Amino acid sequence: MNSDEPLLPSSQGPHTRVASSSCLRANSSSSSANLDDALCDIDLRVADRVSVGDRDTSNSFDHSKQQFNSAESHFFRQFLLECPAPKGRRLVSWGTMELQHEYKSSAFEISRAPSRVQEKLNKSQRLRHRSGQLDDNRLNQLNPRLIYVDDPRKTNDKFEFTGNEIRTSKYTLITFLPKNLFIQFHRVAYLYFLAIVCLNQLPPLAVFGRTVSLFPLLFVLCVTAIKDGYEDWRRHRSDRNENNREALVLQAGQFRMKKWKKIRVGEVVKILADETIPCDVVLLGTSDPSGLAYIQTMNLDGESNLKTRFARQETAATVSEGGIILGLIRCEQPNRNIYEFTANMEFKGQRFSLSQSNIILRGCQLKNTDWVIGVVVYAGQETKAMLNSAASPSKRSRLESYMNRETLWLSVFLFVMCAVVALGMGLWLQRHHDELDILPYYRKRYFTRGEDNGKPFKYYGIPMETFFSFLSSIIVFQIMIPISLYITMEVVRLGQSYFMIEDRHLYDSLSGSRFQCRSLNINEDLGQIRYIFSDKTGTLTENKMEFRRASVFGKNYGASLTAADPSQDVKLSGTAGRKRWKLKSETAVDSELMEILHKTLDGDERITAHEFFLTLAACNTVIPMLNISPPSGNELSEGVEAIEYQGESPDELALVSTASAYGYTLCERTSGHIVIDVNGEKLRLDVLGLHEFDSVRKRMSVVIKFPNGSVKVLVKGADTSILSILDEDTIRGNHLKCATQGHLKEYSSEGLRTLVVAARDLSDAELEEWQSRYEDASTSLTDRATKLRQTAALIECNLNLLGATAIEDKLQEGVPETIESLRQAGIKVWVLTGDKQETAISIGLSCKLLTTDMQQIIINGNSEEQCRSLLANAKARYGVKGANRKSPNFERKMSADTNYCEIPDDANVSYMPRRHLQKEEAPTCSSLALIIDGNSLLFDLATSCRVVICCRVAPLQKAGIVDLIKSRTDDMTLAIGDGANDVSMIQMADVGVGICGQEGRQAVMASDFAMGQFRFLKKLLLVHGHWNYQRVGYLVLYNFYRNAVFVLMLFILCAAFSTTSALTDWSSVFYAVIYTSVPTIFVGILDKDLSHRTLLQYPKLYGAGHRQESYNLHLFWITMIDTLWQSLVLFYIPVYIYKESTIDIWSMGSLWTIAVVILVNVHLAMDIHRWVFMTHAAVWGSIVITYACMVVLDSIPVFPNYWTIYHLALSPTYWLTICLIIIVALLPRFLLKAVQQTFWPSDIQIAREAEILRERPDYLGLRADQGSG
């Protein structure tokens, strides 16, 4: 084949006017039909502009504009999601990072009426990012950022740009104390205890010692401050190391080392291979003559694959010649979008565009490139990396919110007790008003010799004394609100996270990724999940694409694939002796299709096949990496040239590898051309322009020029996007379209990912008009993305269909078993995917999400009215009634195991009965599944279903669906995904789980928990989730009980309502902090009600979390009643036993202190399920520590309880009293538990008994006969 002649015949002659090659812009998203999975943000402004068109355009543009508008309006009909909210509008926003190159909105509105959604779309110029993103009108040409190359002084003449020094720390030495205290006192409980401390400092209210009262609050504040201070010290150290790194900066005509923190905007920097980029830099030149550079963005977005960036040819040539570059860059103001950069540059009288492919961001690393030279455009805190350094939205545990409700009830109890004491004090003073000077324990005047004799003795009158009694009571009963509970919960969650991280069953050996706990405050929510929202690609599947089927010229290929045989390729092509290409992984080929490619006849079928594979090799952003291997004895004469492809999309890599297997090997890519080895002959194609993939067009296209001057546009994209812009004027075109559509449906039913390929020739007039508009659009600083889409519509029309591809994405290991276990646990699994409906159904069947016994309701509707009507019919047919999920009776009306149905794009309704149903039987709600295409969603029907699959949904729709369930139900939601398109969904759900997959680490960085495989979700929820919920639920109840029993005992102890306590100040302080806190921590971390084997074997045990068996309001009130009984026993038994003795009040106080500590620890011991050494040491050790502290305190002569413990310990009555207190106080609890477990056992208790019988067969005398065979 002669390289001077075109590979393919063109209907157009050579062009006389061809513009200079445009810079190839690196694509930052996928390009397959399903690459809308990689989208995160949607630019809603296009809705208005596209729908009405551009009335000022020329007549030559009208036809293309109409087709473009049609495609746009079709997209927005799909994008609108109707999700009625319970109370008017609900504005939802999410995300901390903008993750797509031209879609920047990150809010999604759900309203009751569809008209409100449309109204919002019409009014909104842009939905704002929740975390305060900069105004999207930053591209206003009236206020661009001006960068004078190599002139930082002129660039920053107004001192408006920041330096390159960064600071991620929160505090300085001066601001640490006030700022940290301000942050800590955001907790209302801390303010409560601060008020208590302040009250205790007042002389009339000094119930405790002033120093003693400070101890609990100071302890909590100091522990938190030390933790925060250590974390901030580490940030300071990291900032210091980062700011003091050095880079080469052009100074006085030479590159010299300069610290990063001193680099300024406008300076020219030089980065060497493997170095980190110090700031955001626009490339001026590279070591590659074509201006190509490779970077790794792992530090920025977590992706490990290499990406390409380009220097403009205008500047790259000057740099390679050693010339001086002086120019002006106009760029957008600093913003968070790491996938978009809009600017232009004036250089040597020329003005050309700069895009995201021309900038390298701070934190990236230079790879496979010797050096690059660029100019700083953003520095320090204004770099995109620093603007995206905000943390993910904080989430709050559901159980913690319930805990606040119970804390409010405890506050009411506290107020009532204090009011009772104050009222009693006032009545007592009124009754004994005339006897106050002669009562033995109360007086209002001094009776001492000297000048104070007869003066008032701190007596302020009955009203004030009553008020002071109320305040003093608050101080005495302060621990009713457990301040130590906050720290205890943090320590327990930390310990739980440690054991989850160290669980070897959650370690992925394939990727080497361990389980990660990125949020420590929602561990217990893992045990209450009712809905799981899962992505498909990369989450349920491996995201490792393999080419399986192809439709070329209306014929189906790939039914019998064989491994590619290089020697056979050589023989067929007649190119023996030429070098072969060795790919990293072999791709199977179809021998029949291979023969067609090597035919010598120039038939339509062969030409179409050539264009088909040429498009696969050329229409992408994949970068070839060559590695020539030395020839060996059994190799061809020139050896084998190994080639490895680097790309951001697994789909693109699979398609390019497939093209290479069929003889079309992409072997070189520069900013202006590509080289394809076609069966041994090099074909150089000039790239005139590239229209990247976006979710509006759902396709990408490249304009290439052949050696003979002919120009073609090659397009690939989603079937819904390509099939609507084909040239259907010919009979052959209609025949190809119908045949290809049949093949597409067949591929989708097999679970394959499909893509349509098309192309057409461009005439001179079309090329000239496109080039003119393309140049204007690409250099525009305002609405560049919209103008580029309008420009693409000029050439993406009247296409000739070439064929379609089908790629297989295999299921991950253990996915079907995991989904089945989750369904048995009462968890509803919803799959939200951008794939075709048939593909989603096929994957649903293979992963056991859908079963053959489910009733499939297929609802087809093109309009909102049709969808509403058909959905209403489906609801009526299956008896689905509207229900408020937040009503308490809903759980009894709705089964945990419910159902399946569907909404594609046609206009009829059909019902496919289950195989085991008779025709006359009406299907029940227990066997339905719902499949939806993203156009609409009916809440009542969806929540009545066991399975829901949403197809063709955009990233914001995913988050909107999650928020629909969150806002309309009280159920806990979990979202799991692996890609950037799942970030909004992950952050919207109550619990977000990221998969360490093939699509980078954006999902991991935005998640609460991260793991390597979907199958790990089974143990995470059913085992660790159950344990965490059971532990934390009991921990909260026990802390309420522990403090309340102590406070109620003090309340009964109040003699004459004077708030006088028999306990020492230190005993009251140490009770919650030292005496009883350690056992609760170890039990909260180590206790297990059931083994992991039992929990995995019986997934329905997970339903205990749904029923809130470990923590609910009923349990709280039962606990409070038990607490009241125990406090009465604690007080009256010692009083009754010692009423005739001469024991003093401080000795009684020592007895009460020891008794209450032993009581609460034995109470805890009764509820422990799994005893280990650390549990024994904590429970019994705390009693020993209490005695030790009592001995120390009673040995200090200045204390009123001096030596009391020594007298008491010698008396048998003392020990008998403690034993009697324990038995009588815990007897009702013991009897109640025995009766309940005997006659009304829960599932957990039954499973526990079964465990004991399995582990101890002699437990009930059931030891097996050892002698039996």
Side-chain angles (χ1 to χ4, degrees):
M1 181 179 293
N2 190 344
S3 61
D4 293 334
E5 297 179 358
L7 174 67
L8 304 170
S10 174
S11 60
Q12 305 293 336
H15 297 282
T16 58
R17 178 177 179 181
V18 179
S20 59
S21 299
S22 300
C23 175
L24 178 62
R25 298 191 294 169
N27 190 6
S28 62
S29 68
S30 330
S31 57
S32 74
N34 300 303
L35 294 182
D36 47 336
D37 279 52
L39 296 174
C40 235
D41 300 315
I42 305 296
D43 190 345
L44 298 179
R45 290 183 302 168
V46 182
D48 296 329
R49 290 177 180 161
V50 171
S51 61
V52 300
D54 187 355
R55 298 181 180 179
D56 297 328
T57 53
S58 61
N59 293 332
S60 62
F61 183 56
D62 287 345
H63 178 68
S64 299
K65 180 191 68 178
Q66 292 171 2
Q67 294 204 9
F68 175 68
N69 292 339
S70 175
E72 297 288 89
S73 60
H74 175 72
F75 166 77
F76 283 103
R77 284 198 304 269
Q78 287 190 337
F79 175 69
L80 293 181
L81 176 63
E82 297 175 26
C83 308
K87 294 183 180 180
R89 270 196 258 182
R90 175 182 176 86
L91 184 61
V92 181
S93 56
W94 49 79
T96 59
M97 178 182 290
E98 298 195 11
L99 295 170
Q100 278 305 316
H101 42 280
E102 50 181 347
Y103 303 106
K104 298 171 278 289
S105 85
S106 56
F108 185 85
E109 182 177 16
I110 300 173
S111 62
R112 179 182 298 272
S115 59
R116 292 189 179 180
V117 179
Q118 186 63 45
E119 178 185 357
K120 183 66 177 177
L121 288 174
N122 292 335
K123 289 183 177 180
S124 174
Q125 289 295 318
R126 186 143 202 116
L127 293 178
R128 302 296 180 186
H129 195 285
R130 173 174 74 169
S131 55
Q133 133 182 20
L134 296 175
D135 190 344
D136 200 46
N137 284 329
R138 63 187 183 277
L139 305 184
N140 194 331
Q141 282 180 305
L142 298 178
N143 187 30
R145 168 172 282 211
L146 302 180
I147 310 296
Y148 294 91
V149 180
D150 197 23
D151 194 348
R153 180 171 298 180
K154 186 177 181 180
T155 299
N156 197 20
D157 57 347
K158 296 182 180 179
F159 302 99
E160 55 185 341
F161 301 154
T162 63
N164 199 41
E165 183 175 6
I166 64 168
R167 195 185 77 175
T168 60
S169 58
K170 296 168 60 176
Y171 310 108
T172 65
L173 288 176
I174 299 176
T175 63
F176 174 74
L177 187 60
K179 191 173 182 179
N180 184 261
L181 289 177
F182 177 77
I183 293 174
Q184 289 199 58
F185 279 110
H186 274 70
R187 285 184 170 176
V188 179
Y190 287 11
L191 293 175
Y192 164 76
F193 283 99
L194 178 63
I196 296 296
V197 170
C198 294
L199 288 176
N200 198 69
Q201 305 307 307
L202 301 177
L205 306 177
V207 178
F208 296 141
R210 297 180 181 179
T211 304
V212 176
S213 63
L214 292 171
F215 181 80
L217 183 61
L218 289 178
F219 176 79
V220 173
L221 294 176
C222 289
V223 169
T224 306
I226 291 173
K227 176 181 71 72
D228 294 343
Y230 174 72
E231 292 177 352
D232 205 61
W233 173 79
R234 294 180 61 184
R235 296 190 193 102
H236 274 285
R237 183 179 61 180
S238 175
D239 292 346
R240 184 169 56 253
N241 294 337
E242 186 82 358
N243 290 326
N244 289 329
R245 298 173 69 175
E246 295 184 335
L248 291 171
V249 179
L250 186 61
Q251 304 175 71
Q254 293 183 345
F255 284 102
R256 300 174 182 173
M257 300 302 294
K258 190 175 185 179
K259 290 185 177 181
W260 280 18
K261 63 182 180 181
K262 296 183 179 180
I263 296 177
R264 296 177 294 171
V265 175
E267 289 187 319
V268 177
V269 297
K270 183 176 184 179
I271 297 100
L272 304 180
D274 298 323
E275 286 186 350
T276 303
I277 313 302
C279 38
D280 293 353
V281 176
V282 167
L283 288 179
L284 300 177
T286 72
S287 57
D288 185 86
S290 62
L292 180 65
Y294 298 94
I295 62 169
Q296 187 179 67
T297 61
M298 180 176 291
N299 293 334
L300 191 62
D301 59 12
E303 297 184 5
S304 58
N305 53 324
L306 297 184
K307 299 179 176 61
T308 55
R309 296 294 183 264
F310 303 90
R312 291 292 305 223
Q313 293 293 325
E314 294 85 346
T315 60
T318 304
V319 170
S320 62
E321 296 171 0
I324 300 176
I325 296 182
L326 296 175
L328 173 63
I329 296 177
R330 289 184 175 88
C331 64
E332 58 192 355
Q333 294 297 324
N335 61 87
R336 303 163 57 90
N337 195 342
I338 63 174
Y339 292 112
E340 181 179 292
F341 177 66
T342 305
N344 58 45
M345 183 175 182
E346 295 180 4
F347 177 67
K348 293 184 177 180
Q350 297 180 338
R351 182 181 179 186
F352 47 84
S353 65
L354 298 174
S355 66
Q356 181 259 349
S357 62
N358 306 122
I359 187 174
I360 50 179
L361 305 181
R362 181 189 179 109
C364 300
Q365 285 187 317
L366 188 64
K367 297 290 185 181
N368 297 347
T369 308
D370 294 335
W371 53 265
V372 298
I373 294 176
V375 58
V376 179
V377 290
Y378 306 123
Q381 300 294 138
E382 293 181 341
T383 58
K384 293 180 181 289
M386 295 304 299
L387 291 175
N388 279 291
S389 61
S392 299
S394 59
K395 297 180 181 179
R396 190 179 183 186
S397 166
R398 176 72 60 85
L399 194 146
E400 189 173 343
S401 64
Y402 292 158
M403 183 186 75
N404 291 336
R405 176 190 63 192
E406 272 66 81
T407 302
L408 181 61
W409 277 112
L410 292 177
S411 301
V412 174
F413 295 159
L414 177 64
F415 180 83
V416 171
M417 287 190 298
C418 295
V420 169
V421 171
L423 180 62
M425 180 66 169
L427 294 177
W428 187 89
L429 289 175
Q430 185 67 35
R431 179 180 180 184
H432 299 280
H433 181 267
D434 298 330
E435 306 173 20
L436 293 181
D437 287 335
I438 60 175
L439 289 176
Y441 300 108
Y442 199 93
R443 65 181 186 271
K444 63 180 182 180
R445 297 181 184 277
Y446 280 100
F447 292 96
T448 59
R449 296 178 181 179
E451 58 182 13
D452 292 333
N453 187 27
K455 291 184 178 180
F457 180 77
K458 300 179 181 177
Y459 180 75
Y460 302 95
I462 293 179
M464 290 304 297
E465 289 290 331
T466 302
F467 179 67
F468 288 155
S469 178
F470 178 83
L471 298 180
S472 299
S473 301
I474 293 179
I475 298 174
V476 174
F477 305 148
Q478 59 178 297
I479 64 171
M480 190 73 165
I481 310 298
I483 187 174
S484 60
L485 179 57
Y486 292 97
I487 290 184
T488 302
M489 291 184 68
E490 288 187 8
V491 174
V492 166
R493 286 166 174 166
L494 183 63
Q496 293 173 352
S497 300
Y498 170 79
F499 284 104
M500 286 192 289
I501 293 171
E502 294 299 321
D503 190 341
R504 58 186 178 88
H505 296 103
L506 299 182
Y507 174 77
D508 183 22
S509 57
L510 296 178
S511 62
S513 58
R514 302 170 61 188
F515 182 82
Q516 301 178 37
C517 286
R518 301 176 60 85
S519 179
L520 298 180
N521 58 344
I522 57 173
N523 290 354
E524 59 271 21
D525 284 349
L526 293 172
Q528 298 177 277
I529 300 301
R530 174 74 76 171
Y531 286 89
I532 292 179
F533 301 90
S534 174
D535 179 37
K536 183 185 76 67
T537 304
T539 303
L540 301 179
T541 61
E542 294 181 350
N543 202 18
K544 295 180 180 179
M545 310 301 175
E546 296 183 10
F547 188 87
R548 289 302 182 194
R549 308 287 291 275
S551 173
V552 182
F553 200 66
K555 293 185 178 180
N556 189 11
Y557 298 97
S560 57
L561 297 176
T562 58
D565 185 358
S567 61
Q568 181 71 12
D569 296 347
V570 172
K571 184 169 68 174
L572 287 171
S573 59
T575 58
R578 295 184 178 177
K579 93 176 74 172
R580 295 184 286 121
W581 300 97
K582 180 180 180 182
L583 297 177
K584 187 175 181 180
S585 59
E586 295 296 332
T587 303
V589 298
D590 187 285
S591 56
E592 182 181 357
L593 182 56
M594 184 70 79
E595 290 179 3
I596 293 177
L597 290 171
H598 293 87
K599 286 180 180 180
T600 56
L601 300 177
D602 290 337
D604 290 339
E605 186 175 9
R606 177 180 177 273
I607 293 174
T608 301
H610 275 291
E611 285 194 358
F612 178 83
F613 286 103
L614 182 67
T615 303
L616 296 187
C619 189
N620 54 73
T621 58
V622 171
I623 303 299
M625 311 287 291
L626 305 182
N627 182 21
I628 300 178
S629 305
S632 59
N634 59 348
E635 300 284 0
L636 297 176
S637 58
E638 294 186 12
V640 177
E641 187 165 0
I643 186 169
E644 180 180 354
Y645 291 118
Q646 290 282 347
E648 302 178 32
S649 165
D651 301 71
E652 283 193 336
L653 294 177
L655 295 176
V656 174
S657 299
T658 299
S660 179
Y662 281 92
Y664 290 75
T665 302
L666 176 65
C667 54
E668 181 182 342
R669 180 184 294 278
T670 68
S671 59
H673 72 272
I674 58 175
V675 176
I676 300 176
D677 186 315
V678 182
N679 295 324
E681 296 208 14
K682 297 289 184 66
L683 177 66
R684 187 182 189 275
L685 303 173
D686 292 331
V687 178
L688 304 184
L690 175 71
H691 288 283
E692 300 175 353
F693 179 90
D694 63 67
S695 67
V696 178
R697 293 164 43 247
K698 293 188 177 181
R699 56 184 177 265
M700 74 172 297
S701 60
V702 59
V703 179
I704 59 173
K705 175 186 175 185
F706 288 87
N708 70 340
S710 62
V711 179
K712 281 183 175 290
V713 55
L714 309 178
V715 186
K716 67 177 181 181
D719 54 350
T720 56
S721 172
I722 301 294
L723 296 178
S724 61
I725 55 176
L726 295 178
D727 183 6
E728 300 179 357
D729 294 339
T730 62
I731 298 178
R732 191 189 75 175
N734 289 328
H735 171 73
L736 288 180
K737 181 178 179 180
C738 293
T740 304
Q741 284 179 316
H743 296 155
L744 287 171
K745 188 172 184 179
E746 177 185 349
Y747 301 157
S748 299
S749 64
E750 297 176 4
L752 303 179
R753 298 163 59 90
T754 58
L755 191 74
V756 177
V757 181
R760 81 177 180 96
D761 298 316
L762 293 181
S763 64
D764 291 338
E766 290 174 324
L767 178 63
E768 181 178 352
E769 182 179 4
W770 172 80
Q771 284 182 323
S772 175
R773 292 185 177 273
Y774 183 80
E775 187 67 24
D776 293 339
S778 61
T779 57
S780 174
L781 284 181
T782 58
D783 299 324
R784 178 182 294 185
T786 303
K787 294 176 180 178
L788 284 173
R789 281 197 291 270
Q790 293 173 344
T791 303
L794 287 172
I795 56 176
E796 293 175 352
C797 59
N798 299 321
L799 300 176
N800 297 320
L801 180 63
L802 301 178
T805 63
I807 300 174
E808 181 183 19
D809 189 8
K810 294 183 178 179
L811 280 178
Q812 293 182 10
E813 177 186 355
V815 169
E817 295 80 5
T818 300
I819 290 180
E820 181 62 27
S821 296
L822 295 175
R823 285 171 52 182
Q824 291 181 21
I827 301 175
K828 296 184 179 183
V829 181
W830 291 25
V831 175
L832 314 181
T833 178
D835 282 341
K836 287 173 62 66
Q837 189 180 85
E838 294 81 5
T839 303
I841 293 176
S842 176
I843 293 295
L845 290 170
S846 62
C847 70
K848 295 185 180 179
L849 187 65
L850 305 178
T851 57
T852 56
D853 66 338
M854 288 183 175
Q855 177 70 34
Q856 301 183 18
I857 308 172
I858 303 176
I859 301 176
N860 303 318
N862 287 325
S863 65
E864 175 185 329
E865 291 74 16
Q866 286 180 334
C867 286
R868 285 183 175 275
S869 175
L870 297 176
L871 285 170
N873 293 338
K875 286 180 60 180
R877 177 183 176 89
Y878 292 99
V880 176
K881 297 181 179 180
N884 183 4
R885 290 300 304 269
K886 290 193 175 184
S887 65
N889 297 325
F890 184 83
E891 293 298 332
R892 291 190 288 272
K893 292 186 288 183
M894 301 303 300
S895 171
D897 293 329
T898 40
N899 326 334
Y900 175 98
C901 71
E902 171 169 358
I903 308 178
D905 291 331
D906 304 322
N908 56 31
V909 57
S910 62
Y911 302 92
M912 300 176 61
R914 296 175 293 175
R915 296 182 180 180
H916 66 280
L917 284 178
Q918 300 296 328
K919 290 184 179 180
E920 64 275 8
E921 291 178 344
T924 63
C925 285
S926 62
S927 58
L928 297 176
L930 175 66
I931 300 177
I932 245 174
D933 65 357
N935 288 339
S936 60
L937 180 62
L938 188 62
F939 173 78
D940 293 329
L941 185 59
T943 52
S944 301
C945 291
R946 186 185 198 179
V947 175
V948 175
I949 300 179
C950 298
C951 314
R952 298 294 195 189
V953 288
L956 292 181
Q957 285 179 301
K958 292 184 178 182
I961 292 170
V962 174
D963 183 67
L964 171 70
I965 300 301
K966 282 184 60 180
S967 61
R968 295 288 297 272
T969 74
D970 284 330
D971 296 328
M972 297 292 295
T973 59
L974 180 147
I976 180 170
D978 73 316
N981 61 321
D982 302 315
V983 168
S984 55
M985 173 179 70
I986 287 173
Q987 293 182 341
M988 176 58 65
D990 295 302
V991 178
V993 178
I995 297 291
C996 306
Q998 304 292 320
E999 296 188 16
R1001 294 177 57 84
Q1002 297 97 322
V1004 171
M1005 293 187 291
S1007 66
D1008 304 304
F1009 304 94
M1011 54 191 183
Q1013 297 283 330
F1014 180 85
R1015 58 188 172 92
F1016 297 155
L1017 198 61
K1018 178 180 178 180
K1019 187 171 186 182
L1020 177 64
L1021 297 184
L1022 302 188
V1023 178
H1024 290 289
H1026 173 83
W1027 284 344
N1028 293 343
Y1029 170 69
Q1030 179 266 331
R1031 293 164 177 168
V1032 176
Y1034 180 79
L1035 171 72
V1036 174
L1037 281 176
Y1038 177 77
N1039 273 269
F1040 286 153
Y1041 151 78
R1042 183 191 66 181
N1043 286 23
V1045 73
F1046 187 79
V1047 171
L1048 289 174
M1049 183 186 69
L1050 294 179
F1051 173 71
I1052 302 172
L1053 274 171
C1054 288
F1057 307 102
S1058 64
T1059 67
T1060 301
S1061 175
L1063 278 63
T1064 64
D1065 298 348
W1066 289 106
S1067 296
S1068 300
V1069 171
F1070 284 169
Y1071 174 77
V1073 178
I1074 297 178
Y1075 294 167
T1076 59
S1077 61
V1078 175
T1080 60
I1081 294 175
F1082 282 96
V1083 172
I1085 296 175
L1086 301 175
D1087 193 34
K1088 297 178 181 178
D1089 58 348
L1090 293 170
S1091 67
H1092 70 277
R1093 295 183 182 88
T1094 301
L1095 292 172
L1096 292 175
Q1097 184 178 359
Y1098 303 105
K1100 289 188 177 181
L1101 294 173
Y1102 184 81
H1106 296 156
R1107 296 186 293 271
Q1108 300 180 355
E1109 291 184 1
S1110 294
Y1111 186 88
N1112 54 59
L1113 195 58
H1114 175 73
L1115 279 178
F1116 172 76
W1117 289 115
I1118 293 295
T1119 302
M1120 289 298 103
I1121 294 173
D1122 187 31
T1123 300
L1124 179 61
W1125 164 256
Q1126 293 186 26
S1127 62
L1128 291 172
V1129 171
L1130 269 170
F1131 176 76
Y1132 282 108
I1133 285 183
V1135 170
Y1136 179 79
I1137 292 176
Y1138 285 98
K1139 67 179 180 179
E1140 301 296 337
S1141 69
T1142 59
I1143 190 172
D1144 64 349
I1145 189 172
W1146 302 114
S1147 297
M1148 291 290 289
S1150 296
L1151 173 60
W1152 278 318
T1153 301
I1154 292 295
V1156 71
V1157 170
I1158 297 177
L1159 175 63
V1160 297
N1161 278 282
V1162 174
H1163 178 110
L1164 177 65
M1166 288 178 59
D1167 295 330
I1168 294 177
H1169 302 98
R1170 177 174 177 261
W1171 285 94
V1172 294
F1173 171 77
M1174 293 302 299
T1175 311
H1176 280 289
V1179 173
W1180 313 124
S1182 66
I1183 298 177
V1184 174
I1185 291 174
T1186 302
Y1187 266 108
C1189 291
M1190 292 291 295
V1191 169
V1192 173
L1193 293 175
D1194 287 3
S1195 301
I1196 301 176
V1198 296
F1199 286 172
N1201 55 322
Y1202 176 65
W1203 217 252
T1204 56
I1205 190 67
Y1206 298 100
H1207 292 295
L1208 287 174
L1210 298 177
S1211 172
T1213 306
Y1214 170 77
W1215 300 105
L1216 291 175
T1217 302
I1218 292 177
C1219 292
L1220 185 61
I1221 290 173
I1222 303 304
I1223 294 173
V1224 176
L1226 296 179
L1227 183 60
R1229 179 178 180 81
F1230 174 79
L1231 293 176
L1232 183 63
K1233 289 185 65 174
V1235 171
Q1236 190 266 333
Q1237 293 185 22
T1238 302
F1239 297 101
W1240 302 283
S1242 66
D1243 294 341
I1244 300 295
Q1245 293 162 353
I1246 294 174
R1248 180 162 177 78
E1249 290 183 9
E1251 266 191 359
I1252 296 174
L1253 292 176
R1254 284 198 305 267
E1255 296 173 0
R1256 298 170 55 188
D1258 60 337
Y1259 182 68
L1260 295 176
L1262 301 176
R1263 181 180 295 278
D1265 186 6
Q1266 301 295 332
S1268 61

